[in-house]
Amino acid sequence: MAARILPVAKLATKVTVAGGALYVAYDTGLLGGSEQGSEVLSRAKAAIPPAVDEWMKYFGFELPAPPKIEFSLQESWNSGVQKSVSALSVAPTTVCEYTNQGIQYLKNLTK
């Protein structure tokens, strides 16, 4: 009987944890736009260090200071898409240049 209940309990635990993580991410605004994501990131930067300090005092050990990272979520939200589209927009010109270089190389070989 216990052998049948254990897999169900494991699955229920995994689904609960995944559902809770998804709920928290949606509720805090992580799944929203860039402005919401930037706001959540600033709130997390303000909330995490005091919590870590409290736990360090509780357990009695010390962690090294975290590095300072300046990162703007709004500025880099779609930078990958923008770079891809930019590369695609110059692709015909680049292909033409490479083709001309290849033709010139072959002409130089046949001389």
Side-chain angles (χ1 to χ4, degrees):
M1 178 84 174
R4 292 183 182 171
I5 294 175
L6 186 61
V8 173
K10 288 170 80 175
L11 178 66
T13 303
K14 290 177 184 179
V15 168
T16 303
V17 169
L22 185 62
Y23 173 76
V24 168
Y26 180 77
D27 192 43
T28 58
L30 285 175
L31 302 178
S34 62
E35 291 178 12
Q36 283 182 321
S38 178
E39 182 181 321
V40 170
L41 183 62
S42 65
R43 281 190 288 167
K45 282 182 182 179
I48 290 175
V52 170
D53 289 339
E54 182 180 331
W55 280 98
M56 287 187 334
K57 289 176 186 173
Y58 180 76
F59 287 113
F61 64 90
E62 189 172 327
L63 294 174
K68 297 289 181 186
I69 299 173
E70 295 299 324
F71 178 74
S72 174
L73 193 62
Q74 284 180 319
E75 292 176 8
S76 63
W77 184 254
N78 281 330
S79 64
V81 173
Q82 291 170 350
K83 288 179 183 179
S84 299
V85 170
S86 173
L88 288 173
S89 70
V90 297
T93 306
T94 307
V95 169
C96 184
E97 290 174 3
Y98 287 153
T99 303
N100 288 336
Q101 289 176 2
I103 290 171
Q104 189 63 34
Y105 175 75
L106 290 174
K107 284 182 182 178
N108 290 340
L109 282 178
T110 57
K111 285 184 182 180

